[in-house]
Amino acid sequence: MAPSLTFFLLLLLTLTLTITTSTPTSKPKTFIILVNPDSKPTIFPTHTNWYNSLLSTNTTTTTTTTTILHTYSTIFNGFSATLSPSQAASLSSHPDILSLFPDTLRYLHTTRSPQFLGLKTSGNSGLLKESDFGSDLVIAVIDTGITPNHKSFNDEDLGPVPTKWKGHCVATSDFPPSSCNKKLIGAKFFSQGYEATNGKINETVETKSPKDTDGHGTHTASIAAGRYVFQASTLGYARGVAAGMAPKARLAAYKVCWNSGCYDSDILAAFDAAVADGVDVISLSVGGVVVPYHLDAIAIGAFAASDAGIFVSASAGNGGPGALTVTNVAPWVTTVGAGTIDRDFPADVKLGNEKIIPGMSIYGGPNLVPGRMYPLVYGGSSQAGNGGDGYSSSLCLEGSLDPNFVKGKIVLCDRGINSRTAKGEVVKKAGGAGMVLANAVFDGEGLVADCHVLPATAVGAAGGDAIRKYLTEAKKPVATIEFKGTRLGVRPAPVVASFSARGTNPETPEIVKPDVIAPGLNILAAWPDSVGPSGVPSDKRKTEFNILSGTSMACPHVSGLAALLKAAHPEWTPASIRSALMTTAYTVDNRGQTMIDESTGNVSSVLDYGAGHVHPEKAMDPGLVYDISSYDYVDFLCNLNYTTKNIQVITRKNADCSGAKRAGHAGNLNYPSLSAVFQQYGKHKMSTHFIRTVTNVGDPNSVYQVTIRPPSGMVVTVQPEKLAFRRVGQKLSFLVRVQAREIKLSPGSSTMKDGSIVWSDGKHTVTSPLLVTLQQPL
């Protein structure tokens, strides 16, 4: 039974209590508090008695106000509240409190993709047909809300709302009950955690309702499950049919992100509601810093969802191309990186010396005068800056440019600090005729097409260098921008997007992250017409669709695909769905060569794409799957040396770690990928092993033979080399042994090499990436 049921019901009234603190200058902060599930309700007959008992040791010097923000009763037992440091210390040591950790701010990770993914709408077979386009599956989108009555969310020809659905739509003045239909069947908002830190929401800028005043949530929801909309485009670009991955799936929107970000306490409240409402998939394009799992609100909420049979996909983050940037790394979450599709929007810079610098942009006019060359200046030059040292003006920050100098000219701006489209607004305000946005060295050659407010384009780091060189050499530098519209059939594709966060997994290197990549660059999807396509406040243009980039866009592709797979295979667990997506993923582009890294142009690796790029049609029939139960995850946490208390925080389960530790190590979690980490410590030879179990979901009488592609310089063996299945659902295990030799490394450095293990019966190919890391201790 939940602890102090009366207490939790009363908390829902959001009562405010006056309490005391011993440090008058201490500022209260928001905390998430998990209550021990073994606590007995009779201990605390009322909330007041309970609080008084916890705070009885505090000395009375002044009064502060503590507000209960959320209560959680589905994913775990607990609540969030604003507490003084002394209250937090008192609560954390109380025997009935399992855990207490501070609220954390997170940020958003901000159509041709169904066709590029091979989802066929015609014919009598294929994933869309087999799953009835995802009908009766419910996808929860935890984001910035949703735009009701958009064409992408119409309910034409949809059947009744699934009988299992327990959710509802929260009605407000700008989100009436009629906002929902048989497509959008749930809509809620959570702002208490946000307001506890930032104060009351400014409702002249955004609205306290499920309505999307940002655009991000509408965009991601329609990628996952938008209906077919013909003649969709953004400012005339990417014209065609817009559709989500699971066009008949139902949507439930949970708004947790506001102007300044998204708070864990609100995200957890959305998880709690989504699980209670009965969703099948949760899509979360939000992330932040990586912390241990028992302090990670998303990991805790996602575990409860997974335990309830709900597939959770999350964006890997936009911190690429640097290593160790991946977020949302818990193994019960499917972590999605971003790749390109075979479509782009070229907008090249033509310099006065006739040199062409390739660029990318979405701009609908008014255009530059055809054939005219415009004076070209660098924002960081001494003349362009409006005072200061030139750093702010080089980045085209607000108020940094001198209008007298940049008027009528094309301005070269460096990428960084403010948003890409905001730089264009700064140039436009200063009277500039256009903008060229140059990548920094760290950004490499990856280009993102933005809907700019003036003629503008983005160029890579090498292009930026070439333009700067021209500026120093030419007496009167001039340029123009040539917009070339939409280009299809681009090769190579897919390419790992430059911004897509990379491995290794900074929290648990034994688990490869990201898991897969999916389309995330220049994706067309639904957009609220109340928000300009550039996202800057001065942009009053209206469009029903917008083109955005980010792992935020890649994540809902996988969320929608998971709904299709769940509809086609209702018996599959979340781990089985992830396994099907991973083991059928591909790593070659449309030239037949290994995918490249957009930032460098070099060949990419497991650290960049995980298992590879998703292949939906093959995922429907993977042959074998690597299944994982909730208790397997408990054993995994045991082998990471988590305490039984911390394991209970994550899983709500009492853990006995003795058996788990005897069985092996954290890498023995039955994951579809394998990662071996060796600390050299002067050892000349090192070895480890993995035990894996596969479940036959293919043909009843099938024999799989293994093929090993060992990482360079490693010895990899698999026993047995053949798996003979007699029936569907049968499980067979195998052992993988990895042997490595010491290599010369400088202290504190490491090297990583990848390979693969492939099982095939002649019909199915089941591929597991293998990553080996050699580390030289300091």
Side-chain angles (χ1 to χ4, degrees):
M1 184 177 181
S4 188
L5 186 58
T6 303
F7 167 69
F8 283 125
L9 291 173
L10 289 169
L11 287 181
L12 292 172
L13 300 175
T14 318
L15 296 176
T16 300
L17 303 173
T18 300
I19 50 118
T20 60
T21 176
S22 58
T23 51
T25 59
S26 298
K27 184 179 179 181
K29 294 182 180 179
T30 303
F31 288 86
I32 296 164
I33 302 102
L34 281 70
V35 177
N36 193 323
D38 297 326
S39 296
K40 296 181 180 179
T42 54
I43 296 176
F44 311 121
T46 71
H47 64 284
T48 305
N49 295 139
W50 186 66
Y51 249 113
N52 287 337
S53 70
L54 295 179
L55 300 170
S56 59
T57 58
N58 287 357
T59 58
T60 304
T61 56
T62 187
T63 61
T64 59
T65 299
T66 291
T67 303
I68 305 303
L69 305 174
H70 294 292
T71 58
Y72 312 106
S73 57
T74 303
I75 57 175
F76 60 81
N77 294 309
F79 60 96
S80 55
T82 52
L83 303 173
S84 69
S86 59
Q87 286 177 274
S90 176
L91 278 172
S92 65
S93 61
H94 194 278
D96 291 303
I97 298 302
L98 191 62
S99 179
L100 178 150
F101 52 90
D103 206 0
T104 302
L105 177 64
R106 297 178 186 263
Y107 297 97
L108 297 163
H109 284 152
T110 204
T111 248
R112 182 174 167 78
S113 49
Q115 181 182 345
F116 182 73
L117 287 168
L119 288 171
K120 302 179 182 69
T121 58
S122 59
N124 296 319
S125 62
L127 182 53
L128 283 172
K129 292 290 184 182
E130 293 289 335
S131 64
D132 189 25
F133 297 79
S135 182
D136 293 344
L137 272 289
V138 183
I139 300 174
V141 180
I142 299 177
D143 211 295
T144 65
I146 197 163
T147 301
N149 305 315
H150 193 283
K151 292 176 184 177
S152 292
F153 308 130
N154 80 79
D155 64 356
E156 185 179 350
D157 299 326
L158 286 181
V161 173
T163 56
K164 66 175 184 178
W165 179 244
K166 303 183 185 71
H168 64 280
C169 288
V170 173
T172 63
S173 59
D174 66 346
F175 201 91
S178 59
S179 299
C180 286
N181 55 21
K182 291 182 290 184
K183 175 68 174 180
L184 177 59
I185 63 174
K188 298 177 180 180
F189 67 97
F190 306 90
S191 62
Q192 293 93 319
Y194 179 88
E195 290 184 302
T197 300
N198 294 277
K200 290 293 182 182
I201 285 171
N202 180 0
E203 295 199 57
T204 64
V205 178
E206 52 186 338
T207 174
K208 282 183 70 172
S209 81
K211 186 177 180 180
D212 185 8
T213 54
D214 177 273
H216 192 275
T218 299
H219 202 269
T220 55
S222 68
I223 292 171
R227 304 299 302 276
Y228 290 99
V229 180
F230 295 89
Q231 296 182 335
S233 73
T234 299
L235 308 179
Y237 288 78
R239 194 178 299 278
V241 180
M245 297 295 99
K248 285 189 177 181
R250 316 307 171 104
L251 281 166
Y254 299 85
K255 183 176 179 179
V256 301
C257 294
W258 308 86
N259 269 0
S260 297
C262 333
Y263 279 84
D264 277 353
S265 56
D266 296 330
I267 293 171
L268 278 173
F271 267 107
D272 201 57
V275 175
D277 290 345
V279 305
D280 300 286
V281 173
I282 293 176
S283 186
L284 182 70
S285 292
V286 173
V289 296
V290 175
V291 296
Y293 302 127
H294 67 286
L295 301 176
D296 185 342
I298 290 177
I300 293 169
F303 186 93
S306 175
D307 195 37
I310 299 167
F311 180 92
V312 180
S313 57
S315 48
N318 297 338
L324 296 165
T325 51
V326 65
T327 67
N328 295 319
V329 297
W332 44 88
V333 172
T334 298
T335 310
V336 188
T340 68
I341 60 175
D342 61 345
R343 177 186 69 195
D344 64 13
F345 310 102
D348 300 339
V349 180
K350 182 179 179 181
L351 301 176
N353 61 6
E354 300 298 319
K355 186 170 185 177
I356 303 295
I357 308 296
M360 194 85 65
S361 180
I362 300 165
Y363 179 66
N367 287 315
L368 298 171
V369 177
R372 177 179 169 185
M373 301 296 283
Y374 291 76
L376 176 67
V377 297
Y378 177 41
S381 68
S382 57
Q383 303 101 312
N386 200 3
D389 59 3
Y391 176 71
S392 295
S393 59
S394 71
L395 295 165
C396 297
L397 302 182
E398 184 67 36
S400 66
L401 296 177
D402 181 357
N404 295 321
F405 183 73
V406 304
K407 185 177 181 180
K409 300 173 182 175
I410 294 175
V411 182
L412 175 67
C413 302
D414 293 335
R415 186 170 165 182
I417 308 296
N418 56 342
S419 75
R420 298 182 299 270
T421 53
K423 295 176 189 294
E425 184 183 38
V426 170
V427 174
K428 185 177 182 181
K429 283 181 180 178
M435 178 185 72
V436 178
L437 178 61
N439 280 359
V441 173
F442 180 79
D443 301 309
E445 301 308 308
L447 298 180
V448 175
D450 294 302
C451 292
H452 290 286
V453 295
L454 84 170
T457 190
V459 300
D465 289 342
I467 294 172
R468 289 187 200 91
K469 182 181 179 184
Y470 168 69
L471 282 165
T472 61
E473 294 174 346
K475 290 183 178 179
K476 292 185 177 181
V478 292
T480 190
I481 303 171
E482 299 177 336
F483 298 94
K484 298 184 176 180
T486 304
R487 180 171 61 181
L488 302 177
V490 173
R491 294 162 68 92
V495 169
V496 180
S498 178
F499 57 77
S500 185
R502 311 299 212 265
T504 56
N505 185 331
E507 180 61 26
T508 316
E510 295 87 352
I511 302 296
V512 175
K513 291 287 181 173
D515 292 308
V516 291
I517 64 169
L521 185 73
N522 302 332
I523 304 300
L524 178 80
W527 193 252
D529 62 9
S530 60
V531 181
S534 69
V536 299
S538 65
D539 188 0
K540 303 304 179 185
R541 294 174 296 179
K542 294 182 181 293
T543 181
E544 288 186 305
F545 294 87
N546 202 2
I547 294 169
L548 298 184
S549 298
T551 55
S552 280
M553 285 65 250
C555 169
H557 278 90
V558 169
S559 307
L561 295 178
L564 295 180
L565 292 171
K566 183 72 174 177
H569 301 282
E571 74 283 3
W572 280 9
T573 65
S576 294
I577 294 171
R578 177 179 56 229
S579 175
L581 289 166
M582 290 177 67
T583 61
T584 59
Y586 61 91
T587 59
V588 296
D589 58 30
N590 54 7
R591 305 170 303 171
Q593 300 176 25
T594 301
M595 284 190 293
I596 63 172
D597 181 342
E598 185 188 34
S599 67
T600 63
N602 297 328
V603 172
S604 56
S605 73
V606 169
L607 295 172
D608 306 316
Y609 52 65
H613 193 287
V614 291
H615 194 312
E617 294 294 341
K618 284 190 175 180
M620 184 178 68
D621 183 20
L624 305 174
V625 293
Y626 294 81
D627 200 7
I628 305 174
S629 72
S630 293
Y631 286 98
D632 293 330
Y633 291 126
V634 172
D635 288 347
F636 162 78
L637 294 168
C638 285
N639 283 317
L640 288 177
N641 295 317
Y642 275 67
T643 66
T644 54
K645 182 179 180 181
N646 288 342
I647 292 172
Q648 192 176 24
V649 168
I650 302 164
T651 68
R652 301 173 300 163
K653 302 180 189 303
N654 294 313
D656 177 6
C657 288
S658 56
K661 291 185 176 180
R662 282 197 304 270
H665 53 86
N668 270 339
L669 180 68
N670 200 40
Y671 217 70
S673 55
L674 302 93
S675 176
V677 182
F678 293 116
Q679 299 280 350
Q680 296 198 141
Y681 288 117
K683 299 175 184 175
H684 298 297
K685 293 183 179 179
M686 298 154 287
S687 69
T688 190
H689 71 278
F690 303 93
I691 299 171
R692 291 292 189 267
T693 301
V694 286
T695 304
N696 182 23
V697 295
D699 301 323
N701 291 297
S702 51
V703 178
Y704 285 80
Q705 187 78 36
V706 73
T707 299
I708 303 167
R709 185 177 71 84
S712 176
M714 314 289 172
V715 176
V716 179
T717 58
V718 176
Q719 292 294 331
E721 297 179 348
K722 187 180 293 185
L723 298 173
F725 294 92
R726 297 186 302 276
R727 65 183 186 278
V728 174
Q730 183 180 359
K731 297 178 183 290
L732 291 176
S733 299
F734 60 92
L735 184 143
V736 179
R737 187 169 298 279
V738 179
Q739 296 172 292
R741 286 184 173 274
E742 181 186 29
I743 63 173
K744 190 172 183 179
L745 293 170
S746 58
S749 66
S750 63
T751 185
M752 300 167 197
K753 300 180 180 181
D754 63 72
S756 63
I757 293 169
V758 183
W759 292 98
S760 179
D761 64 348
K763 177 181 177 182
H764 306 93
T765 301
V766 187
T767 304
S768 290
L770 169 62
L771 179 67
V772 177
T773 304
L774 298 176
Q775 297 178 340
Q776 185 66 40
L778 287 170

